[in-house]
PDB file of all heavy atoms in Angstrom:
ATOM      1  N   GLU A   1     -13.360   1.852   3.803  1.00 92.00           N
ATOM      2  CA  GLU A   1     -13.181   2.325   5.179  1.00 92.00           C
ATOM      3  C   GLU A   1     -11.715   2.415   5.597  1.00 92.00           C
ATOM      4  O   GLU A   1     -11.421   2.786   6.723  1.00 92.00           O
ATOM      5  CB  GLU A   1     -13.929   1.394   6.145  1.00 92.00           C
ATOM      6  CG  GLU A   1     -15.411   1.258   5.838  1.00 92.00           C
ATOM      7  CD  GLU A   1     -16.157   2.578   5.934  1.00 92.00           C
ATOM      8  OE1 GLU A   1     -15.835   3.401   6.815  1.00 92.00           O
ATOM      9  OE2 GLU A   1     -17.073   2.787   5.111  1.00 92.00           O
ATOM     10  N   ASP A   2     -10.793   2.051   4.712  1.00 93.00           N
ATOM     11  CA  ASP A   2      -9.373   2.033   5.056  1.00 93.00           C
ATOM     12  C   ASP A   2      -8.592   3.041   4.236  1.00 93.00           C
ATOM     13  O   ASP A   2      -8.231   2.769   3.090  1.00 93.00           O
ATOM     14  CB  ASP A   2      -8.787   0.632   4.819  1.00 93.00           C
ATOM     15  CG  ASP A   2      -9.315  -0.389   5.790  1.00 93.00           C
ATOM     16  OD1 ASP A   2      -9.488  -0.047   6.973  1.00 93.00           O
ATOM     17  OD2 ASP A   2      -9.550  -1.543   5.370  1.00 93.00           O
ATOM     18  N   PRO A   3      -8.307   4.219   4.818  1.00 95.00           N
ATOM     19  CA  PRO A   3      -7.464   5.185   4.108  1.00 95.00           C
ATOM     20  C   PRO A   3      -6.136   4.533   3.721  1.00 95.00           C
ATOM     21  O   PRO A   3      -5.633   3.654   4.424  1.00 95.00           O
ATOM     22  CB  PRO A   3      -7.253   6.308   5.122  1.00 95.00           C
ATOM     23  CG  PRO A   3      -8.407   6.179   6.075  1.00 95.00           C
ATOM     24  CD  PRO A   3      -8.710   4.701   6.139  1.00 95.00           C
ATOM     25  N   PHE A   4      -5.588   4.964   2.602  1.00 95.00           N
ATOM     26  CA  PHE A   4      -4.376   4.377   2.038  1.00 95.00           C
ATOM     27  C   PHE A   4      -3.266   4.201   3.065  1.00 95.00           C
ATOM     28  O   PHE A   4      -2.715   3.105   3.207  1.00 95.00           O
ATOM     29  CB  PHE A   4      -3.895   5.235   0.860  1.00 95.00           C
ATOM     30  CG  PHE A   4      -2.652   4.715   0.215  1.00 95.00           C
ATOM     31  CD1 PHE A   4      -2.721   3.713  -0.741  1.00 95.00           C
ATOM     32  CD2 PHE A   4      -1.409   5.226   0.548  1.00 95.00           C
ATOM     33  CE1 PHE A   4      -1.570   3.223  -1.348  1.00 95.00           C
ATOM     34  CE2 PHE A   4      -0.256   4.756  -0.053  1.00 95.00           C
ATOM     35  CZ  PHE A   4      -0.334   3.749  -0.995  1.00 95.00           C
ATOM     36  N   ASP A   5      -2.895   5.270   3.778  1.00 95.00           N
ATOM     37  CA  ASP A   5      -1.773   5.179   4.732  1.00 95.00           C
ATOM     38  C   ASP A   5      -2.058   4.147   5.817  1.00 95.00           C
ATOM     39  O   ASP A   5      -1.163   3.391   6.215  1.00 95.00           O
ATOM     40  CB  ASP A   5      -1.470   6.541   5.351  1.00 95.00           C
ATOM     41  CG  ASP A   5      -0.864   7.516   4.345  1.00 95.00           C
ATOM     42  OD1 ASP A   5      -0.246   7.060   3.354  1.00 95.00           O
ATOM     43  OD2 ASP A   5      -1.032   8.739   4.532  1.00 95.00           O
ATOM     44  N   GLN A   6      -3.286   4.106   6.298  1.00 94.00           N
ATOM     45  CA  GLN A   6      -3.664   3.125   7.313  1.00 94.00           C
ATOM     46  C   GLN A   6      -3.597   1.711   6.742  1.00 94.00           C
ATOM     47  O   GLN A   6      -3.088   0.804   7.382  1.00 94.00           O
ATOM     48  CB  GLN A   6      -5.079   3.428   7.805  1.00 94.00           C
ATOM     49  CG  GLN A   6      -5.618   2.435   8.813  1.00 94.00           C
ATOM     50  CD  GLN A   6      -7.052   2.751   9.191  1.00 94.00           C
ATOM     51  OE1 GLN A   6      -7.427   3.912   9.316  1.00 94.00           O
ATOM     52  NE2 GLN A   6      -7.855   1.723   9.375  1.00 94.00           N
ATOM     53  N   TYR A   7      -4.105   1.537   5.544  1.00 93.00           N
ATOM     54  CA  TYR A   7      -4.098   0.219   4.900  1.00 93.00           C
ATOM     55  C   TYR A   7      -2.669  -0.293   4.737  1.00 93.00           C
ATOM     56  O   TYR A   7      -2.383  -1.455   5.017  1.00 93.00           O
ATOM     57  CB  TYR A   7      -4.798   0.303   3.543  1.00 93.00           C
ATOM     58  CG  TYR A   7      -5.108  -1.042   2.948  1.00 93.00           C
ATOM     59  CD1 TYR A   7      -6.325  -1.662   3.184  1.00 93.00           C
ATOM     60  CD2 TYR A   7      -4.176  -1.706   2.158  1.00 93.00           C
ATOM     61  CE1 TYR A   7      -6.613  -2.908   2.650  1.00 93.00           C
ATOM     62  CE2 TYR A   7      -4.458  -2.956   1.619  1.00 93.00           C
ATOM     63  CZ  TYR A   7      -5.675  -3.548   1.869  1.00 93.00           C
ATOM     64  OH  TYR A   7      -5.954  -4.778   1.341  1.00 93.00           O
ATOM     65  N   MET A   8      -1.792   0.568   4.290  1.00 93.00           N
ATOM     66  CA  MET A   8      -0.415   0.171   4.034  1.00 93.00           C
ATOM     67  C   MET A   8       0.377  -0.075   5.322  1.00 93.00           C
ATOM     68  O   MET A   8       1.386  -0.759   5.293  1.00 93.00           O
ATOM     69  CB  MET A   8       0.289   1.215   3.171  1.00 93.00           C
ATOM     70  CG  MET A   8      -0.334   1.389   1.783  1.00 93.00           C
ATOM     71  SD  MET A   8      -0.649  -0.148   0.876  1.00 93.00           S
ATOM     72  CE  MET A   8       0.991  -0.816   0.727  1.00 93.00           C
ATOM     73  N   SER A   9      -0.076   0.470   6.452  1.00 92.00           N
ATOM     74  CA  SER A   9       0.669   0.301   7.706  1.00 92.00           C
ATOM     75  C   SER A   9       0.197  -0.900   8.520  1.00 92.00           C
ATOM     76  O   SER A   9       0.670  -1.111   9.625  1.00 92.00           O
ATOM     77  CB  SER A   9       0.554   1.580   8.546  1.00 92.00           C
ATOM     78  OG  SER A   9      -0.781   1.752   8.999  1.00 92.00           O
ATOM     79  N   GLN A  10      -0.686  -1.726   7.975  1.00 87.00           N
ATOM     80  CA  GLN A  10      -1.220  -2.867   8.722  1.00 87.00           C
ATOM     81  C   GLN A  10      -0.203  -3.977   8.948  1.00 87.00           C
ATOM     82  O   GLN A  10      -0.425  -4.862   9.758  1.00 87.00           O
ATOM     83  CB  GLN A  10      -2.446  -3.445   7.995  1.00 87.00           C
ATOM     84  CG  GLN A  10      -3.618  -2.516   7.984  1.00 87.00           C
ATOM     85  CD  GLN A  10      -4.766  -3.066   7.148  1.00 87.00           C
ATOM     86  OE1 GLN A  10      -4.741  -4.207   6.694  1.00 87.00           O
ATOM     87  NE2 GLN A  10      -5.766  -2.240   6.946  1.00 87.00           N
ATOM     88  N   GLY A  11       0.893  -3.959   8.216  1.00 82.00           N
ATOM     89  CA  GLY A  11       1.935  -4.959   8.426  1.00 82.00           C
ATOM     90  C   GLY A  11       1.653  -6.315   7.804  1.00 82.00           C
ATOM     91  O   GLY A  11       2.225  -7.311   8.211  1.00 82.00           O
ATOM     92  N   ASN A  12       0.771  -6.344   6.797  1.00 85.00           N
ATOM     93  CA  ASN A  12       0.416  -7.605   6.145  1.00 85.00           C
ATOM     94  C   ASN A  12       1.322  -7.959   4.983  1.00 85.00           C
ATOM     95  O   ASN A  12       1.076  -8.953   4.309  1.00 85.00           O
ATOM     96  CB  ASN A  12      -1.022  -7.523   5.595  1.00 85.00           C
ATOM     97  CG  ASN A  12      -2.034  -7.313   6.677  1.00 85.00           C
ATOM     98  OD1 ASN A  12      -1.858  -7.766   7.793  1.00 85.00           O
ATOM     99  ND2 ASN A  12      -3.094  -6.615   6.355  1.00 85.00           N
ATOM    100  N   PHE A  13       2.351  -7.165   4.738  1.00 87.00           N
ATOM    101  CA  PHE A  13       3.111  -7.310   3.510  1.00 87.00           C
ATOM    102  C   PHE A  13       4.513  -7.830   3.744  1.00 87.00           C
ATOM    103  O   PHE A  13       5.213  -7.395   4.643  1.00 87.00           O
ATOM    104  CB  PHE A  13       3.174  -5.973   2.768  1.00 87.00           C
ATOM    105  CG  PHE A  13       1.807  -5.392   2.561  1.00 87.00           C
ATOM    106  CD1 PHE A  13       1.364  -4.325   3.320  1.00 87.00           C
ATOM    107  CD2 PHE A  13       0.937  -5.938   1.626  1.00 87.00           C
ATOM    108  CE1 PHE A  13       0.085  -3.813   3.151  1.00 87.00           C
ATOM    109  CE2 PHE A  13      -0.331  -5.444   1.450  1.00 87.00           C
ATOM    110  CZ  PHE A  13      -0.762  -4.385   2.210  1.00 87.00           C
ATOM    111  N   GLY A  14       4.929  -8.749   2.872  1.00 87.00           N
ATOM    112  CA  GLY A  14       6.300  -9.223   2.874  1.00 87.00           C
ATOM    113  C   GLY A  14       7.177  -8.267   2.092  1.00 87.00           C
ATOM    114  O   GLY A  14       8.337  -8.068   2.409  1.00 87.00           O
ATOM    115  N   GLU A  15       6.594  -7.669   1.055  1.00 84.00           N
ATOM    116  CA  GLU A  15       7.290  -6.689   0.212  1.00 84.00           C
ATOM    117  C   GLU A  15       6.313  -5.561  -0.069  1.00 84.00           C
ATOM    118  O   GLU A  15       5.140  -5.802  -0.309  1.00 84.00           O
ATOM    119  CB  GLU A  15       7.673  -7.302  -1.138  1.00 84.00           C
ATOM    120  CG  GLU A  15       8.572  -8.495  -1.090  1.00 84.00           C
ATOM    121  CD  GLU A  15       8.738  -9.127  -2.476  1.00 84.00           C
ATOM    122  OE1 GLU A  15       8.514  -8.428  -3.496  1.00 84.00           O
ATOM    123  OE2 GLU A  15       9.069 -10.306  -2.529  1.00 84.00           O
ATOM    124  N   VAL A  16       6.804  -4.338  -0.067  1.00 92.00           N
ATOM    125  CA  VAL A  16       5.979  -3.208  -0.477  1.00 92.00           C
ATOM    126  C   VAL A  16       6.896  -2.106  -1.006  1.00 92.00           C
ATOM    127  O   VAL A  16       7.932  -1.812  -0.407  1.00 92.00           O
ATOM    128  CB  VAL A  16       5.065  -2.698   0.660  1.00 92.00           C
ATOM    129  CG1 VAL A  16       5.841  -2.111   1.815  1.00 92.00           C
ATOM    130  CG2 VAL A  16       4.028  -1.739   0.150  1.00 92.00           C
ATOM    131  N   ASN A  17       6.532  -1.565  -2.156  1.00 94.00           N
ATOM    132  CA  ASN A  17       7.325  -0.514  -2.781  1.00 94.00           C
ATOM    133  C   ASN A  17       6.424   0.658  -3.144  1.00 94.00           C
ATOM    134  O   ASN A  17       5.648   0.563  -4.102  1.00 94.00           O
ATOM    135  CB  ASN A  17       8.007  -1.058  -4.047  1.00 94.00           C
ATOM    136  CG  ASN A  17       8.960  -2.178  -3.718  1.00 94.00           C
ATOM    137  OD1 ASN A  17       9.894  -2.000  -2.958  1.00 94.00           O
ATOM    138  ND2 ASN A  17       8.711  -3.349  -4.265  1.00 94.00           N
ATOM    139  N   PRO A  18       6.515   1.749  -2.384  1.00 95.00           N
ATOM    140  CA  PRO A  18       5.670   2.913  -2.672  1.00 95.00           C
ATOM    141  C   PRO A  18       6.105   3.642  -3.939  1.00 95.00           C
ATOM    142  O   PRO A  18       7.275   3.614  -4.307  1.00 95.00           O
ATOM    143  CB  PRO A  18       5.848   3.808  -1.442  1.00 95.00           C
ATOM    144  CG  PRO A  18       7.011   3.281  -0.698  1.00 95.00           C
ATOM    145  CD  PRO A  18       7.343   1.925  -1.212  1.00 95.00           C
ATOM    146  N   PHE A  19       5.149   4.265  -4.598  1.00 96.00           N
ATOM    147  CA  PHE A  19       5.399   5.117  -5.751  1.00 96.00           C
ATOM    148  C   PHE A  19       4.204   6.052  -5.907  1.00 96.00           C
ATOM    149  O   PHE A  19       3.298   6.035  -5.070  1.00 96.00           O
ATOM    150  CB  PHE A  19       5.663   4.289  -7.022  1.00 96.00           C
ATOM    151  CG  PHE A  19       4.481   3.519  -7.549  1.00 96.00           C
ATOM    152  CD1 PHE A  19       3.764   3.991  -8.646  1.00 96.00           C
ATOM    153  CD2 PHE A  19       4.092   2.318  -6.978  1.00 96.00           C
ATOM    154  CE1 PHE A  19       2.679   3.272  -9.141  1.00 96.00           C
ATOM    155  CE2 PHE A  19       3.022   1.595  -7.475  1.00 96.00           C
ATOM    156  CZ  PHE A  19       2.308   2.081  -8.561  1.00 96.00           C
ATOM    157  N   GLU A  20       4.204   6.883  -6.914  1.00 95.00           N
ATOM    158  CA  GLU A  20       3.080   7.773  -7.198  1.00 95.00           C
ATOM    159  C   GLU A  20       2.667   7.611  -8.642  1.00 95.00           C
ATOM    160  O   GLU A  20       3.492   7.344  -9.511  1.00 95.00           O
ATOM    161  CB  GLU A  20       3.447   9.240  -6.945  1.00 95.00           C
ATOM    162  CG  GLU A  20       3.514   9.606  -5.492  1.00 95.00           C
ATOM    163  CD  GLU A  20       3.649  11.121  -5.281  1.00 95.00           C
ATOM    164  OE1 GLU A  20       3.626  11.891  -6.259  1.00 95.00           O
ATOM    165  OE2 GLU A  20       3.786  11.511  -4.116  1.00 95.00           O
ATOM    166  N   VAL A  21       1.364   7.783  -8.884  1.00 94.00           N
ATOM    167  CA  VAL A  21       0.815   7.807 -10.234  1.00 94.00           C
ATOM    168  C   VAL A  21       0.070   9.133 -10.369  1.00 94.00           C
ATOM    169  O   VAL A  21      -0.920   9.350  -9.685  1.00 94.00           O
ATOM    170  CB  VAL A  21      -0.164   6.640 -10.481  1.00 94.00           C
ATOM    171  CG1 VAL A  21      -0.701   6.689 -11.909  1.00 94.00           C
ATOM    172  CG2 VAL A  21       0.476   5.301 -10.201  1.00 94.00           C
ATOM    173  N   ASN A  22       0.577  10.032 -11.191  1.00 93.00           N
ATOM    174  CA  ASN A  22      -0.046  11.349 -11.381  1.00 93.00           C
ATOM    175  C   ASN A  22      -0.290  12.064 -10.057  1.00 93.00           C
ATOM    176  O   ASN A  22      -1.333  12.674  -9.858  1.00 93.00           O
ATOM    177  CB  ASN A  22      -1.352  11.220 -12.167  1.00 93.00           C
ATOM    178  CG  ASN A  22      -1.120  10.710 -13.563  1.00 93.00           C
ATOM    179  OD1 ASN A  22      -0.137  11.045 -14.210  1.00 93.00           O
ATOM    180  ND2 ASN A  22      -2.033   9.876 -14.033  1.00 93.00           N
ATOM    181  N   GLY A  23       0.646  11.946  -9.126  1.00 94.00           N
ATOM    182  CA  GLY A  23       0.535  12.605  -7.832  1.00 94.00           C
ATOM    183  C   GLY A  23      -0.287  11.834  -6.812  1.00 94.00           C
ATOM    184  O   GLY A  23      -0.416  12.252  -5.672  1.00 94.00           O
ATOM    185  N   ARG A  24      -0.848  10.708  -7.182  1.00 97.00           N
ATOM    186  CA  ARG A  24      -1.657   9.885  -6.275  1.00 97.00           C
ATOM    187  C   ARG A  24      -0.748   8.867  -5.589  1.00 97.00           C
ATOM    188  O   ARG A  24       0.066   8.213  -6.237  1.00 97.00           O
ATOM    189  CB  ARG A  24      -2.732   9.155  -7.072  1.00 97.00           C
ATOM    190  CG  ARG A  24      -3.696   8.339  -6.216  1.00 97.00           C
ATOM    191  CD  ARG A  24      -4.643   7.501  -7.066  1.00 97.00           C
ATOM    192  NE  ARG A  24      -5.425   8.258  -7.997  1.00 97.00           N
ATOM    193  CZ  ARG A  24      -6.676   8.681  -7.805  1.00 97.00           C
ATOM    194  NH1 ARG A  24      -7.272   8.417  -6.662  1.00 97.00           N
ATOM    195  NH2 ARG A  24      -7.308   9.342  -8.747  1.00 97.00           N
ATOM    196  N   LYS A  25      -0.924   8.692  -4.273  1.00 97.00           N
ATOM    197  CA  LYS A  25      -0.155   7.687  -3.547  1.00 97.00           C
ATOM    198  C   LYS A  25      -0.502   6.298  -4.065  1.00 97.00           C
ATOM    199  O   LYS A  25      -1.670   5.978  -4.308  1.00 97.00           O
ATOM    200  CB  LYS A  25      -0.477   7.737  -2.052  1.00 97.00           C
ATOM    201  CG  LYS A  25       0.015   8.957  -1.350  1.00 97.00           C
ATOM    202  CD  LYS A  25      -0.374   8.873   0.114  1.00 97.00           C
ATOM    203  CE  LYS A  25      -0.038  10.132   0.858  1.00 97.00           C
ATOM    204  NZ  LYS A  25      -0.470  10.045   2.274  1.00 97.00           N
ATOM    205  N   ALA A  26       0.528   5.484  -4.198  1.00 97.00           N
ATOM    206  CA  ALA A  26       0.349   4.115  -4.665  1.00 97.00           C
ATOM    207  C   ALA A  26       1.482   3.256  -4.101  1.00 97.00           C
ATOM    208  O   ALA A  26       2.480   3.779  -3.594  1.00 97.00           O
ATOM    209  CB  ALA A  26       0.364   4.074  -6.196  1.00 97.00           C
ATOM    210  N   ALA A  27       1.304   1.962  -4.191  1.00 97.00           N
ATOM    211  CA  ALA A  27       2.347   1.025  -3.770  1.00 97.00           C
ATOM    212  C   ALA A  27       2.103  -0.305  -4.462  1.00 97.00           C
ATOM    213  O   ALA A  27       0.968  -0.662  -4.771  1.00 97.00           O
ATOM    214  CB  ALA A  27       2.328   0.831  -2.251  1.00 97.00           C
ATOM    215  N   VAL A  28       3.197  -1.013  -4.696  1.00 96.00           N
ATOM    216  CA  VAL A  28       3.140  -2.380  -5.200  1.00 96.00           C
ATOM    217  C   VAL A  28       3.546  -3.265  -4.030  1.00 96.00           C
ATOM    218  O   VAL A  28       4.534  -2.983  -3.353  1.00 96.00           O
ATOM    219  CB  VAL A  28       4.097  -2.585  -6.395  1.00 96.00           C
ATOM    220  CG1 VAL A  28       4.156  -4.053  -6.794  1.00 96.00           C
ATOM    221  CG2 VAL A  28       3.681  -1.735  -7.575  1.00 96.00           C
ATOM    222  N   GLY A  29       2.775  -4.324  -3.793  1.00 94.00           N
ATOM    223  CA  GLY A  29       3.107  -5.163  -2.660  1.00 94.00           C
ATOM    224  C   GLY A  29       2.675  -6.597  -2.811  1.00 94.00           C
ATOM    225  O   GLY A  29       1.815  -6.935  -3.621  1.00 94.00           O
ATOM    226  N   VAL A  30       3.306  -7.434  -1.994  1.00 93.00           N
ATOM    227  CA  VAL A  30       3.003  -8.851  -1.931  1.00 93.00           C
ATOM    228  C   VAL A  30       2.704  -9.169  -0.475  1.00 93.00           C
ATOM    229  O   VAL A  30       3.466  -8.807   0.420  1.00 93.00           O
ATOM    230  CB  VAL A  30       4.193  -9.701  -2.430  1.00 93.00           C
ATOM    231  CG1 VAL A  30       3.905 -11.184  -2.284  1.00 93.00           C
ATOM    232  CG2 VAL A  30       4.538  -9.348  -3.866  1.00 93.00           C
ATOM    233  N   THR A  31       1.590  -9.835  -0.238  1.00 89.00           N
ATOM    234  CA  THR A  31       1.210 -10.215   1.112  1.00 89.00           C
ATOM    235  C   THR A  31       2.252 -11.152   1.715  1.00 89.00           C
ATOM    236  O   THR A  31       2.759 -12.037   1.021  1.00 89.00           O
ATOM    237  CB  THR A  31      -0.162 -10.921   1.107  1.00 89.00           C
ATOM    238  OG1 THR A  31      -1.129 -10.040   0.567  1.00 89.00           O
ATOM    239  CG2 THR A  31      -0.584 -11.343   2.486  1.00 89.00           C
ATOM    240  N   ALA A  32       2.537 -10.961   2.989  1.00 88.00           N
ATOM    241  CA  ALA A  32       3.476 -11.839   3.684  1.00 88.00           C
ATOM    242  C   ALA A  32       3.029 -13.283   3.515  1.00 88.00           C
ATOM    243  O   ALA A  32       1.859 -13.610   3.680  1.00 88.00           O
ATOM    244  CB  ALA A  32       3.541 -11.472   5.163  1.00 88.00           C
ATOM    245  N   GLY A  33       3.960 -14.139   3.132  1.00 86.00           N
ATOM    246  CA  GLY A  33       3.670 -15.537   2.901  1.00 86.00           C
ATOM    247  C   GLY A  33       3.343 -15.863   1.453  1.00 86.00           C
ATOM    248  O   GLY A  33       3.301 -17.023   1.070  1.00 86.00           O
ATOM    249  N   SER A  34       3.098 -14.824   0.640  1.00 88.00           N
ATOM    250  CA  SER A  34       2.764 -15.050  -0.773  1.00 88.00           C
ATOM    251  C   SER A  34       3.935 -14.742  -1.696  1.00 88.00           C
ATOM    252  O   SER A  34       3.790 -14.829  -2.916  1.00 88.00           O
ATOM    253  CB  SER A  34       1.574 -14.182  -1.176  1.00 88.00           C
ATOM    254  OG  SER A  34       0.426 -14.582  -0.493  1.00 88.00           O
TER     255      SER A  34
END
């Protein structure tokens, strides 16, 4: 139920680094506090 852009904009991350895999949106991230 959470589209990628919405999921990534929730502000739950201490670190997040967007990238693409074969044209697909992706990101590597660590939850804030972790």
